Amino acid sequence: GKTAVSPLSLSKPAEDGRPESVGSVKLGGIKRYLKVLYAEDNVVNQKVLAKALERAGVKDITMVSNGKAAVELCQTIHFDCIFMDVEMPIMGGLEACQRIVEHDSNSLVV
């Protein structure tokens, strides 16, 4: 894919306004860890985002190198968040996003 640089905040404000890690969320008092899919064909970009996510507390990161593999995984596994490159071999990110959302309209694709 093409290289793009964009600021990425890996924290969100908690109810009291302080930053909270995006690596986990609390649901009904139970801490639940996020399951993330990252579709990217560039190995350097894979390492950079994976390291940033790990620093933010995300431990469960699955990586694939094309959109087709992402679509296939999403048919059997639910991911809390999907990071998708736009230009990849076999199937691009836009087509993959469309197919993933058709299968699960609650998918969060970034």
Side-chain angles (χ1 to χ4, degrees):
K2 291 184 180 176
T3 302
V5 177
S6 170
L8 177 63
S9 174
L10 294 176
S11 62
K12 62 179 181 177
E15 289 179 15
D16 62 4
R18 294 182 313 192
E20 178 181 302
S21 169
V22 297
S24 63
V25 292
K26 284 196 173 187
L27 299 173
I30 300 170
K31 194 171 188 180
R32 180 172 172 266
Y33 291 92
L34 296 178
K35 185 169 192 64
V36 174
L37 173 62
Y38 183 28
E40 168 66 68
D41 60 321
N42 182 297
V43 176
V44 173
N45 291 346
Q46 286 178 352
K47 290 178 182 179
V48 169
L49 184 63
K51 191 61 139 176
L53 290 171
E54 288 168 2
R55 285 184 182 154
V58 177
K59 304 289 185 219
D60 191 350
I61 306 166
T62 301
M63 289 191 211
V64 295
S65 61
N66 64 71
K68 183 178 181 211
V71 170
E72 289 171 353
L73 272 177
C74 290
Q75 290 175 351
T76 58
I77 301 171
H78 173 77
F79 293 93
D80 299 303
C81 182
I82 303 165
F83 290 93
M84 184 80 64
D85 185 15
V86 174
E87 293 185 16
M88 293 180 287
I90 303 174
M91 180 187 294
L94 297 177
E95 182 181 351
C97 287
Q98 181 180 11
R99 290 184 183 199
I100 290 168
V101 171
E102 284 173 0
H103 177 353
D104 180 4
S105 61
N106 294 320
S107 293
L108 173 61
V109 183
V110 180

